[in-house]
Amino acid sequence: MQKAWACLIAATVSIFPANLYSISILFSNGQRLEDTILSGVATLINMEMHGIALIIFVASILVPAAKIIGLGFILITIHLKQTIYRRQRMFIYFVIKWIGKWSVMDLFVISIMMTLVDRGRILNFSPGYGAVAFGMVVVFTMLATEAFDPRLIWDEPIKNKNRKSVESEQ
């Protein structure tokens, strides 16, 4: 639980610079163009590439936020010793774990962009600080999911009466 909490808190802290700082820096004809995730989505919408804009918005903003909220919900319900909706929490956990495998896709897009752009002649592309923070969000949410033991969802909370009898036997 502690490892999962630590990784989840680190991911939560990292999601803010990931969305506020530039994720890509493009030098073209002496001009420096910086894009955050949202400004990149807005640019794609202005270029009438609605499908790609939707994919980037969902994959880069909604999915990481949903993973953090979902895992936070599961951890809080375990901490509060909630015994209801266990199947739904297991379903949320497995969806988060499955999506986590695909979350690295955005990092691959940035790395592919760096290799495809002709560096140093006409265009120069480099990732910004937001890309590093976004990578941290992806890694920390994956680590939090892996550190979490889903059997904790099914554990019965120890009642005070049972705890006293167990302590007296020892």
Side-chain angles (χ1 to χ4, degrees), residues 108-133:
F108 285 127
V109 169
I110 293 171
S111 63
I112 289 171
M113 282 290 293
M114 286 189 65
T115 59
L116 292 179
V117 173
D118 187 14
R119 297 180 52 84
R121 293 190 185 135
I122 298 172
L123 295 174
N124 191 357
F125 175 83
S126 63
Y129 293 121
V132 175

Side-chain angles (χ1 to χ4, degrees), residues 1-147:
M1 283 284 286
Q2 291 175 346
K3 288 180 186 177
W5 271 115
C7 291
L8 185 65
I9 290 169
T12 304
V13 169
S14 299
I15 201 167
F16 292 104
N19 287 307
L20 296 175
Y21 290 125
S22 60
I23 199 160
S24 65
I25 302 168
L26 181 68
F27 292 98
S28 175
N29 297 328
Q31 290 183 327
R32 178 182 171 122
L33 304 169
E34 295 185 15
D35 270 327
T36 63
I37 296 172
L38 277 177
S39 69
V41 169
T43 301
L44 289 170
I45 290 172
N46 289 337
M47 295 172 66
E48 297 185 10
M49 296 181 177
H50 302 290
I52 296 172
L54 179 65
I55 290 169
I56 291 175
F57 180 76
V58 169
S60 301
I61 295 175
L62 288 183
V63 168
K67 285 170 54 179
I68 289 171
I69 291 169
L71 197 53
F73 168 73
I74 292 170
L75 291 173
I76 288 171
T77 56
I78 290 171
H79 183 73
L80 296 176
K81 298 177 174 75
Q82 296 293 315
T83 59
I84 58 173
Y85 302 119
R86 289 179 171 161
R87 286 186 183 179
Q88 289 81 359
R89 287 187 274 159
M90 283 299 289
F91 178 74
I92 291 170
Y93 170 75
F94 284 118
V95 167
I96 291 170
K97 190 168 181 159
W98 183 79
I99 287 175
K101 297 173 186 175
W102 294 98
S103 296
V104 184
M105 179 178 63
D106 290 325
L107 301 177
F108 285 127
V109 169
I110 293 171
S111 63
I112 289 171
M113 282 290 293
M114 286 189 65
T115 59
L116 292 179
V117 173
D118 187 14
R119 297 180 52 84
R121 293 190 185 135
I122 298 172
L123 295 174
N124 191 357
F125 175 83
S126 63
Y129 293 121
V132 175
F134 185 79
M136 290 171 57
V137 171
V138 170
V139 169
F140 281 131
T141 54
M142 288 172 51
L143 289 174
T145 306
E146 290 300 318

